[in-house]
Amino acid sequence: MGDIPGQVAQALIERGVLKAEQLARAARTQESIGGRVDLALTRLGLVAERDMAAAYAGILGLPLVSAEAFPSLQIWPGRLSAVFLRKARIIPLREDTGRLVVAMADPFDKDACEALRLAVGTDPIIEVGIPGDIDAALVRLYGPPGKDSAAPASNAASPDHWAADIQYLREHGSEAVAVRLVSQIIASAIHAQASDIHIEPFDGSLTVRYRIDGVLSAVQAPDFMHFPALIGRIKVLAAMDMGERRKPQDGRCLINVEGRRVDLRVSILPTQHGEGVVLRILDQTRAPLDLGLLGFGTELRAQVDNVLRHPHGIMLVCGPTGSGKTTTLYAILRQLQNEQTKIVSVEDPVEYQIEGVNQIQVRPQIGLGFSEILRAALRHDPDVIMVGEARDSETAHIAIQAALTGHLVLCSLHTNDAAGAVARLTDMGVEPYLLASTLRGVVAQRLIRKLCPHCRMEDALASRAGAAPGLAPETKIWRAGGCPACRNTGYAGRTVVAEYMPAGEVLQNLILARASSAEIQRALAAEGMRTLHADGLAKVAGGITSLEEVLRVSAA
């Protein structure tokens, strides 16, 4: 491999960001086409650009410079060619006692270092920059490139890694700009722990936004001139119809980003100014499929465990879109999974693969909907059935019938609270007597942002605690601050606030009496049911979140 790649690989392994089998994969690939193996590691997505830059800086004893330190204006304008800077991936940073300070993506590139020395007439001071940050700064300072430049992206869906890797590096040795842009957008989103990427065309401009902790945040977007190529690259990755621009399309792909495999769900929607794209990042390493880690309290977990001990019946998980219902259902399935239990799930789409669970993807375009799959699944003798969503009357009726015939059914439902689930199912035509006899419990939930532990601040207005029903006046509460660790939002990560509606005699009588959602809510609150709002206030009292955040997602 050579001395330089060997040092880099060793540093990456010691940092825990590279595995021996990944190194062997890159080395085998690079031997077929030549070049340095450390460069192949990032191009194949096996090592994050940030980790590679840190390894370079550590080996050479150079500073690792962040994008915040990049200049707002060109340094030494006219002295250095933009074409050279792009090709060498160098950004001038500042002047220091007559010497030029630059950030380089590859400080081991001797040719680039020598060309830079000749261009400026003296030895430059070199620091190490992250390639994506350098590329973005070059576009900002020097405008978009006039021709294709580099691009590290990898579709790792093919099981034949070696052949696919060689083909990829050969095809993209010149590193087309669209490949680079897509890779940078996805890698930056994953580094920011975003759940979704929104790419939206407008009249002559392009907007890129990341959904982080449930809130959209705009980031630097590529030049609009690259939009057609960018859309094309995404369609290639997701195996979509390249020629179709008039109809919505859905797809998914598996890629290597920051040294791990990440599943992307892709949706393309035609808009007035072009095709809008939303990429859902399905990173199972960031989804703790455990009720406790998701934020469910001890009491609520015990109530759910009590339901799961029943051999039959139906349990509902409710909430609006994006409230974490599917993740909760996955956590329950993982808890139930064992050799003695056959589990079948019917989903649209299958978001995470769970070992030991028979997961079935709904395909309505070929007549394979929830109801059709459920009928077939019942003939496979399952013990537990998960229905991704009860969207229509037929699906709801089949799920109830399955619960009546000796199966434990888990199902998600779009309602605002637990009490609303009863009205939703009866509106679908489920007879109250069937619902009363099969319902075992209802969980309703929301996701709220957690306060950043590095910058949270004690709320000076302590009297506000007394103004919130459920919080004692002496309760110590916290508010959001803002620091680089949380991107100055004051929040980092999310947790669940939830309520549980037990299916006891009181609820059964209310269902049979066709009581309204409000009547059910009041009756069960009088019985001691803990509401979403009360669970949120408990997390405020525990210093997990702020009062403003709880009020944002729930009402007293």
Side-chain angles (χ1 to χ4, degrees):
M1 290 187 300
D3 187 49
I4 291 173
Q7 292 181 57
V8 174
Q10 184 62 35
L12 292 169
I13 291 173
E14 291 174 356
R15 290 170 179 266
V17 297
L18 177 66
K19 297 178 181 178
E21 56 268 27
Q22 292 175 319
L23 176 60
R25 171 184 164 186
R28 185 183 178 194
T29 302
Q30 201 67 16
E31 283 174 2
S32 300
I33 61 174
R36 284 165 39 194
V37 72
D38 54 322
L39 301 180
L41 288 169
T42 53
R43 290 176 183 174
L44 293 173
L46 299 175
V47 174
E49 288 183 340
R50 186 177 303 273
D51 293 326
M52 185 64 73
Y56 286 161
I59 291 170
L60 295 173
L62 299 176
L64 177 60
V65 61
S66 66
E68 289 77 15
F70 288 2
S72 57
L73 298 173
Q74 291 185 21
I75 305 298
W76 286 10
R79 294 277 299 272
L80 294 169
S81 163
V83 174
F84 164 70
L85 294 176
R86 291 186 207 283
K87 184 176 181 180
R89 300 181 96 168
I90 296 173
I91 187 77
L93 298 177
R94 61 187 179 276
E95 185 179 358
D96 185 357
T97 60
R99 296 174 66 190
L100 182 64
V101 182
V102 300
M104 294 187 67
D106 182 9
F108 288 112
D109 188 341
K110 294 181 179 178
D111 292 339
C113 290
E114 179 62 19
L116 181 63
R117 187 186 67 80
L118 293 173
V120 301
T122 183
D123 288 329
I125 299 174
I126 295 175
E127 299 182 356
V128 181
I130 298 166
D133 292 346
I134 292 176
D135 294 338
L138 288 170
V139 171
R140 174 171 53 84
L141 294 173
Y142 298 89
K147 59 182 180 179
D148 286 348
S149 53
S154 170
N155 185 350
S158 170
D160 186 358
H161 290 308
W162 185 39
D165 293 345
I166 292 173
Q167 180 68 16
Y168 171 79
L169 289 181
R170 281 178 175 159
E171 287 179 356
H172 302 290
S174 60
E175 301 181 322
V177 65
V179 182
R180 168 180 289 185
L181 290 174
V182 172
S183 180
Q184 287 174 354
I185 289 170
I186 295 172
S188 296
I190 290 174
H191 182 72
Q193 296 189 335
S195 60
D196 300 86
I197 304 169
H198 293 245
I199 304 173
E200 301 158 317
F202 294 99
D203 188 11
S205 66
L206 191 62
T207 297
V208 177
R209 296 186 290 175
Y210 298 159
R211 189 175 294 280
I212 303 172
D213 296 337
V215 179
L216 282 172
S217 177
V219 298
Q220 185 172 355
D223 191 273
F224 188 75
M225 65 178 288
H226 298 305
F227 179 61
L230 188 148
I231 287 291
R233 173 61 180 166
I234 292 173
K235 286 183 176 180
V236 168
L237 286 172
M240 292 179 171
D241 185 351
M242 291 287 291
E244 181 58 71
R245 297 181 178 87
R246 300 168 299 172
K247 296 180 181 179
Q249 294 192 69
D250 293 301
R252 67 189 307 162
C253 58
L254 192 64
I255 65 172
N256 280 328
V257 178
E258 300 219 339
R260 64 179 184 270
R261 300 178 81 185
V262 176
D263 199 357
L264 296 177
R265 199 170 78 209
V266 185
S267 177
I268 291 183
L269 182 68
T271 68
Q272 183 178 3
H273 299 290
E275 294 173 287
V277 183
V278 174
L279 307 174
R280 168 64 58 87
I281 301 171
L282 303 173
D283 187 357
Q284 194 161 352
T285 62
R286 285 174 39 207
L289 300 184
D290 177 274
L291 293 178
L293 296 176
L294 290 174
F296 287 87
T298 304
E299 181 182 352
L300 202 152
R301 293 203 307 274
Q303 292 170 320
V304 171
D305 288 344
N306 184 57
V307 172
L308 300 182
R309 281 193 287 268
H310 286 81
H312 54 80
I314 186 168
M315 176 179 169
L316 302 172
V317 178
C318 304
T321 300
S323 59
K325 302 185 296 297
T326 302
T327 303
T328 296
L329 287 171
Y330 280 144
I332 293 173
L333 289 185
R334 175 165 284 182
Q335 183 175 330
L336 289 170
Q337 197 276 322
N338 57 62
E339 289 185 358
Q340 291 76 40
T341 304
K342 176 162 184 175
I343 303 174
V344 174
S345 72
V346 187
E347 307 173 50
D348 184 22
V350 175
E351 294 196 4
Y352 300 118
Q353 296 182 15
I354 303 178
E355 186 177 354
V357 176
N358 299 278
Q359 297 174 269
I360 307 170
Q361 168 74 52
V362 171
R363 300 183 189 278
Q365 66 272 20
I366 61 171
L368 196 63
F370 278 101
S371 56
E372 290 82 6
I373 295 175
L374 270 175
R375 288 194 190 93
L378 288 172
R379 295 192 288 271
H380 275 245
D381 188 31
D383 299 294
V384 179
I385 300 172
M386 187 192 98
V387 183
E389 183 185 343
R391 296 179 179 176
D392 53 51
S393 175
E394 190 175 11
T395 302
H397 276 89
I398 297 173
I400 292 292
Q401 289 297 326
L404 279 171
T405 54
H407 304 86
L408 178 61
V409 179
L410 307 171
C411 183
S412 73
L413 203 61
H414 278 85
T415 63
N416 289 326
D417 53 27
V422 173
R424 180 87 171 101
L425 288 175
T426 54
D427 287 345
M428 287 182 178
V430 176
E431 291 295 335
Y433 73 91
L434 291 176
L435 184 57
S437 61
T438 56
L439 188 62
R440 295 287 176 258
V442 183
V443 174
Q445 66 180 68
R446 298 285 194 283
L447 292 176
I448 60 171
R449 294 180 294 173
K450 296 190 294 184
L451 288 168
C452 175
H454 303 288
C455 63
R456 68 173 188 169
M457 305 169 67
E458 187 174 350
D459 201 325
L461 300 176
S463 60
R464 293 168 60 190
L471 281 181
E474 66 275 9
T475 303
K476 182 178 181 180
I477 62 176
W478 302 81
R479 63 180 175 87
C483 68
C486 62
R487 304 170 304 280
N488 294 313
T489 64
Y491 296 95
R494 290 192 289 178
T495 189
V496 165
V497 289
E499 64 184 16
Y500 176 76
M501 186 173 72
E505 184 178 352
V506 173
L507 180 59
Q508 290 176 348
N509 291 334
L510 288 167
I511 293 173
L512 293 171
R514 295 181 179 270
S516 67
S517 298
E519 290 171 334
I520 293 174
Q521 183 77 21
R522 284 195 297 269
L524 292 178
E527 292 288 317
M529 185 183 86
R530 189 183 196 182
T531 65
L532 278 165
H533 187 71
D535 191 38
L537 292 180
K539 287 182 167 61
V540 171
I544 297 172
T545 191
S546 66
L547 184 57
E548 287 81 4
E549 184 67 7
V550 171
L551 295 175
R552 183 178 70 86
V553 300
S554 68

